[in-house]
Amino acid sequence: MSLMRMLKRLGVNLSWRQGLERFGAAGLRFQHTATHSPSFTHQLLSDCMEVNYCGLVMHFDYVWLRDHCRSASCYNSKTNQRNLDTATIDLNIKPVKSRTDENNLYLTWPDGHVTPYNLAWLAQSSYEGQKKSAVQPRVLWDAEIYSNAKVPSTDWEKFMDCDEELKNFLERFLLYGIAFVDGVPPTLEDTEELTQRVGLIRETIYGRMWSFTSDFSRGDTAYTKLALDRHTDTSYFQEPCGMQVFHCLRHEGTGGRTLLVDGFFAADSLLHQSPENFGVLSQTPIKHEYLENQGGYRNHMIGIGPVLNVYPWNNEVYMIRYNNYDRSVINTVPHDVVRRWYEAHRLLTLLLRKPQNELWVKLKPGKVLFVDNWRVLHGRESFKGLRQLCGCYLTRDDVLNTARSLGIQA
């Protein structure tokens, strides 16, 4: 059960800032703080070193220890790059002696080289420590959790001029997978300038910045007035676009509300309700496909991957690829597995379609929505009248790079 769900059941409601302070980048990540007398023991076993530090029992292969030496001759601390040639390490290497002080472990190797290891660094860098960590902290949400968190929107002028406001925006965005900026002039040019504050725009078959109405100018249901069920975009890319930006420049009509669903919340529910079905969706690759032959556009895109992409050491979901419109022929699954896949997909779909998981928002000129396309599914209700949207995709690596450069765990 996610932390926020547990708190909800206990009747505890947190604002987004309380959630960040109590359970955000510091609280959700496994950490060790070095003290003057840390609880620490170690022993050299035949094939590895066992370390017990602050209650965490870790095992380190000796080749790994030699490869991760951070001495000046083995590692360039200015460039943060390895100098040591890993291929030259004896695969049967073993230290000849060890010693410790309050915060460090020292190993002496057969050639006399001494490697110092900071104990807190070892704990953070260990497999056992990583299993207890979230690569990217997040708050899982349904409509009630998100509403009770009272996540504020960001003011456009402050966002453009103040790095601290940009940091606050990115903290909220990475915790929840969505974020809003208000007061943006309703033009494509100002929307583009806004997005470039966050990261690089990813050019795709739809162009760099796109602006469209329901004129069916492209071979996609998004270019109509029809309702769209929840989905992630570009599932037919081998690497789906990481972040998406929406800005409604104009709407002279009714309807067209935007639907947002936290896919990680649904995946977490699936993991706890049915680990077997979670495993099927995280281990079975399927195809998504985009075929377009209309208005001078000729495209054929194919993306292959599981619906749920997870880090294998801790089952943390890092991407959901869910789009029933663009799912292709299932020919990557043998017949004795395909029924299990359909059962698992059906259960996930039911979770995604629970009314309490649906957050509905009305996009208006001036309000820009950022969506983590690897996490949050979006859709819309049908609409009437002229409705013009603009937006773009952002490269995920560059958005996370911006966040890390501001001191955010991402």
Side-chain angles (χ1 to χ4, degrees), residues 69-83:
C69 178
R70 291 300 188 257
S71 65
S73 62
C74 297
Y75 189 80
N76 189 329
S77 59
K78 292 183 178 179
T79 64
N80 296 301
Q81 292 176 308
R82 182 180 282 102
N83 293 329

Coordinates of all heavy atoms in Angstrom, one line a residue, residues 69-83:
C69 N 36.6 2.0 -6.4 CA 37.6 2.8 -5.6 C 37.5 4.3 -6.0 O 37.4 4.6 -7.2 CB 39.0 2.3 -5.9 SG 40.2 3.2 -5.0
R70 N 37.4 5.1 -5.1 CA 37.3 6.6 -5.3 C 38.6 7.3 -5.0 O 38.6 8.5 -4.8 CB 36.1 7.2 -4.6 CG 34.7 6.7 -5.1 CD 34.5 7.1 -6.5 NE 33.2 6.8 -7.0 CZ 32.9 5.8 -7.8 NH1 33.8 4.9 -8.1 NH2 31.6 5.7 -8.2
S71 N 39.7 6.6 -5.0 CA 41.0 7.3 -4.7 C 41.3 8.1 -6.0 O 40.8 7.9 -7.1 CB 42.1 6.3 -4.5 OG 42.3 5.5 -5.6
A72 N 42.3 9.1 -5.8 CA 42.6 10.0 -6.9 C 43.1 9.3 -8.1 O 42.9 9.7 -9.3 CB 43.6 11.0 -6.4
S73 N 43.8 8.1 -7.9 CA 44.4 7.4 -9.1 C 43.3 6.6 -9.9 O 43.5 6.3 -11.0 CB 45.5 6.5 -8.6 OG 45.0 5.5 -7.7
C74 N 42.2 6.3 -9.2 CA 41.2 5.5 -9.8 C 40.0 6.3 -10.3 O 39.2 5.8 -11.1 CB 40.8 4.4 -8.8 SG 42.1 3.2 -8.4
Y75 N 39.8 7.5 -9.8 CA 38.6 8.2 -10.0 C 38.9 9.7 -10.1 O 39.6 10.3 -9.2 CB 37.5 7.9 -8.9 CG 36.2 8.5 -9.2 CD1 35.3 7.8 -10.1 CD2 35.7 9.6 -8.6 CE1 34.0 8.3 -10.3 CE2 34.4 10.1 -8.8 CZ 33.6 9.4 -9.7 OH 32.3 9.9 -9.9
N76 N 38.4 10.4 -11.1 CA 38.6 11.8 -11.3 C 37.4 12.5 -10.7 O 36.3 12.6 -11.2 CB 38.7 12.1 -12.8 CG 39.1 13.6 -13.0 OD1 38.8 14.5 -12.2 ND2 39.8 13.8 -14.1
S77 N 37.6 13.1 -9.5 CA 36.6 13.8 -8.8 C 36.1 15.1 -9.4 O 35.0 15.6 -9.1 CB 37.0 14.0 -7.3 OG 38.1 14.9 -7.3
K78 N 36.9 15.6 -10.3 CA 36.6 16.9 -11.0 C 35.6 16.6 -12.1 O 34.6 17.3 -12.4 CB 37.8 17.6 -11.6 CG 38.7 18.1 -10.5 CD 39.9 18.9 -11.1 CE 40.8 19.5 -10.0 NZ 42.0 20.2 -10.6
T79 N 35.8 15.5 -12.8 CA 34.9 15.1 -13.9 C 33.9 14.1 -13.5 O 32.9 13.8 -14.3 CB 35.7 14.6 -15.1 OG1 36.3 13.4 -14.8 CG2 36.7 15.6 -15.6
N80 N 34.0 13.5 -12.3 CA 33.2 12.4 -11.9 C 33.2 11.2 -12.8 O 32.1 10.6 -13.1 CB 31.7 12.9 -11.6 CG 31.6 14.0 -10.6 OD1 32.0 13.7 -9.4 ND2 31.2 15.2 -10.9
Q81 N 34.4 10.9 -13.3 CA 34.6 9.8 -14.2 C 35.6 8.8 -13.7 O 36.6 9.2 -13.0 CB 34.9 10.3 -15.6 CG 33.8 11.1 -16.3 CD 34.2 11.6 -17.6 OE1 35.3 12.3 -17.7 NE2 33.5 11.4 -18.6
R82 N 35.5 7.6 -14.1 CA 36.4 6.5 -13.6 C 37.7 6.6 -14.4 O 37.7 6.7 -15.7 CB 35.7 5.2 -13.8 CG 36.5 4.0 -13.3 CD 35.8 2.7 -13.5 NE 34.8 2.4 -12.4 CZ 33.5 2.6 -12.6 NH1 33.0 3.0 -13.7 NH2 32.7 2.4 -11.6
N83 N 38.8 6.5 -13.7 CA 40.1 6.4 -14.4 C 40.6 4.9 -14.5 O 41.3 4.5 -15.4 CB 41.2 7.1 -13.6 CG 41.0 8.7 -13.7 OD1 40.5 9.2 -14.6 ND2 41.4 9.3 -12.6

